[in-house]
Amino acid sequence: MGVLPVNKLLVSMSVPIMLSMLVQALYNIVDSVFVSRLSENALNAVGLAFPVQNLMIAVATGTGVGINALLSKSLGEKKFERANLTASNGVFLGVCSAAVFALLGALFSRTFFLVQTDVAEIVDGGAAYIQVCTVCSFGLFIAISIERLLQATGRTVYSMITQMVGAVINIIFDPIFIFGLGMGVVGAAWATVLGQVAGAALGVWFNARRNPEITLSFRRFRPSGDIIRRIYSVGIPSIIMASIGSVMTFGLNKILIGFTTTATAVLGVYFKLQSFVFMPIFGLNNGMVPIVAYNFGARKPERMVKTVKLSVLYAVGIMVLGFAAFQLLPGPLLSIFEASDYMLSIGETALGVISFHFLLAGFSIVASSTFQALGHGVLSLVISLVRQLVVLLPAAWLLSLSGRLELVWWAFPLAELFSAALCAVFLRYVYRKEIVPLGM
């Protein structure tokens, strides 16, 4: 972390995670691809469930960001006992989070869908789908917690393997459960859960057998208030930041369904497709954060700055490729989901307009992760709030008043413009406050 050439280190840390994230994106999309073969309403059921799934991932990954930052900083400062306590408390928090979502999912899954639509096929399929995902979410939370331990110690290849194994299992069992056993939408949920549990089990084994820097032990374990506070001082802003996406998606679905349920299906398909662009950048960030945090603890500002600059360069390059794909191939991309002519007419316009925000999003994502790595998670939270709730959602609502669906999609580029400007201002502030005093 502190001596390898920065570019080599960043690539070696990030590429395995980026590949695993791409596989994650693949199995996120596979559910919808198979379900779309059932009907557009079935596709809509999975799409409308996205805010709940996103909320679970937000809590898991947000907590993971806190674990990753504190663990890497502790290792950089040679405080190995605190590193072990961070690991144990991180897994404990994952188990607690899974229990909360299991309870909420068991009680309120159907209510969540009834608030959005009264189409019986969507409500029945969606409620059953999300109930399985929430009640059995322990695999998701444990897997992500363990993966962060592997990533924070530089063992990203093992993290990649755990995610890939989970994804492959999900892909294999999707058609078996959905069509072979005739389980329909619920089959997609069970395939997802099975993959998550397998990934979690493998991650636990890797951490026990291949990660000597971390000793994960629960014998006489007691939660540490200080460690949990430190994890959540970075993690809670990240959780809230990611959770805002669930609120934004729920609000957009409410706006779009006022035009047609096909518009919400298009939005759901967009989120699946854009994961192929964004997931690699999230993987890049997962490699970048421990490098920045470690060198912050080791007081090596030159390595921190170079890591951030290279990350921005790579992120923007990925986003440009994504922009080109959405501009040139909207029809073929939508056809993967058995899109009708009506869905194609709405979706081609949507993908073309929304993808303009890709050109700025790479910079914004890396900047937000930099704030988190340096202990300024609140700044990331402010950016997310402004982008999704202060600008995007109100803009979408105002544009919807025109009665023209095609205008609603422009809320995405408009919000990203505000976000990028704010990131630039905050990045300058953090540079002067945290990096300059280290004596570049």
Side-chain angles (χ1 to χ4, degrees), residues 216-249:
L216 192 62
S217 175
F218 293 96
R219 183 176 298 175
R220 297 177 182 174
F221 170 77
R222 289 185 179 181
S224 168
D226 179 62
I227 294 294
I228 291 173
R229 180 186 63 78
R230 287 170 179 264
I231 290 174
Y232 279 140
S233 67
V234 175
I236 284 181
S238 182
I239 291 171
I240 297 173
M241 179 176 64
S243 300
I244 290 168
S246 294
V247 177
M248 179 270 290
T249 306

Side-chain angles (χ1 to χ4, degrees), residues 190-406:
W190 280 113
T192 297
V193 166
L194 185 60
Q196 291 167 349
V197 171
L202 186 59
V204 170
W205 188 87
F206 275 140
N207 195 75
R209 301 291 184 178
R210 298 287 188 269
N211 196 6
E213 292 181 67
I214 297 296
T215 301
L216 192 62
S217 175
F218 293 96
R219 183 176 298 175
R220 297 177 182 174
F221 170 77
R222 289 185 179 181
S224 168
D226 179 62
I227 294 294
I228 291 173
R229 180 186 63 78
R230 287 170 179 264
I231 290 174
Y232 279 140
S233 67
V234 175
I236 284 181
S238 182
I239 291 171
I240 297 173
M241 179 176 64
S243 300
I244 290 168
S246 294
V247 177
M248 179 270 290
T249 306
F250 181 83
L252 277 177
N253 281 332
K254 292 287 287 182
I255 292 169
L256 294 173
I257 211 164
F259 288 92
T260 169
T261 56
T262 302
T264 60
V266 166
L267 183 67
V269 166
Y270 159 73
F271 280 122
K272 299 293 184 179
L273 291 171
Q274 61 98 34
S275 66
F276 276 98
V277 184
F278 282 79
M279 283 294 194
I281 297 177
F282 295 149
L284 175 69
N285 282 351
N286 284 335
M288 179 199 76
V289 166
I291 297 173
V292 173
Y294 182 99
N295 286 284
F296 184 42
R299 301 183 66 84
K300 295 183 177 181
E302 296 87 356
R303 292 177 63 82
M304 296 164 60
V305 171
K306 189 169 183 179
T307 300
V308 173
K309 287 182 176 179
L310 285 170
S311 297
V312 169
L313 181 64
Y314 289 139
V316 171
I318 293 169
M319 282 297 187
V320 169
L321 293 176
F323 172 75
F326 274 58
Q327 291 293 319
L328 299 175
L329 303 168
L333 291 174
L334 290 163
S335 296
I336 297 172
F337 300 89
E338 297 289 309
S340 63
D341 290 341
Y342 182 49
M343 186 173 174
L344 282 171
S345 66
I346 294 175
E348 288 181 352
T349 299
L351 297 189
V353 171
I354 294 175
S355 60
F356 276 103
H357 92 279
F358 290 0
L359 300 176
L360 294 172
F363 166 74
S364 299
I365 293 170
V366 172
S368 292
S369 293
T370 301
F371 303 148
Q372 293 166 6
L374 297 178
H376 289 271
V378 172
L379 297 182
S380 297
L381 171 60
V382 171
I383 291 167
S384 190
L385 278 169
V386 169
R387 179 185 178 276
Q388 298 181 84
L389 298 188
V390 176
V391 180
L392 196 154
L393 204 53
W397 177 73
L398 289 172
L399 291 169
S400 72
L401 298 179
S402 67
R404 296 173 59 187
L405 175 61
E406 66 272 17

Side-chain angles (χ1 to χ4, degrees), residues 14-161:
S14 300
V15 168
I17 308 175
M18 293 168 72
L19 291 174
S20 64
M21 287 288 192
L22 280 171
V23 176
Q24 291 285 312
L26 178 62
Y27 95 76
N28 284 338
I29 205 173
V30 163
D31 279 357
S32 295
V33 169
F34 283 121
V35 165
S36 69
R37 268 58 179 175
L38 297 173
S39 68
E40 187 175 299
N41 280 339
L43 177 62
N44 239 326
V46 174
L48 292 177
F50 180 75
V52 176
Q53 292 179 295
N54 188 63
L55 183 60
M56 289 193 293
I57 293 171
V59 173
T61 56
T63 304
V65 168
I67 295 168
N68 210 337
L70 180 57
L71 192 55
S72 297
K73 190 170 186 291
S74 298
L75 292 172
E77 296 170 342
K78 310 301 180 185
K79 296 180 179 179
F80 301 112
E81 183 179 352
R82 190 173 72 182
N84 289 332
L85 283 172
T86 300
S88 299
N89 279 273
V91 174
F92 167 75
L93 293 174
V95 172
C96 292
S97 300
V100 171
F101 275 99
L103 179 62
L104 293 175
L107 296 176
F108 301 113
S109 292
R110 190 171 186 84
T111 303
F112 174 76
F113 278 88
L114 286 171
V115 169
Q116 299 181 83
T117 181
D118 58 358
V119 178
E121 185 181 357
I122 297 176
V123 172
D124 292 341
Y129 176 86
I130 209 61
Q131 192 167 61
V132 171
C133 291
T134 51
V135 172
C136 301
S137 63
F138 62 90
L140 168 69
F141 284 97
I142 293 175
I144 291 178
S145 297
I146 294 296
E147 286 162 10
R148 292 306 184 269
L149 305 186
L150 296 169
Q151 292 168 11
T153 54
R155 289 165 175 80
T156 53
V157 172
Y158 295 139
S159 174
M160 176 189 71
I161 292 172

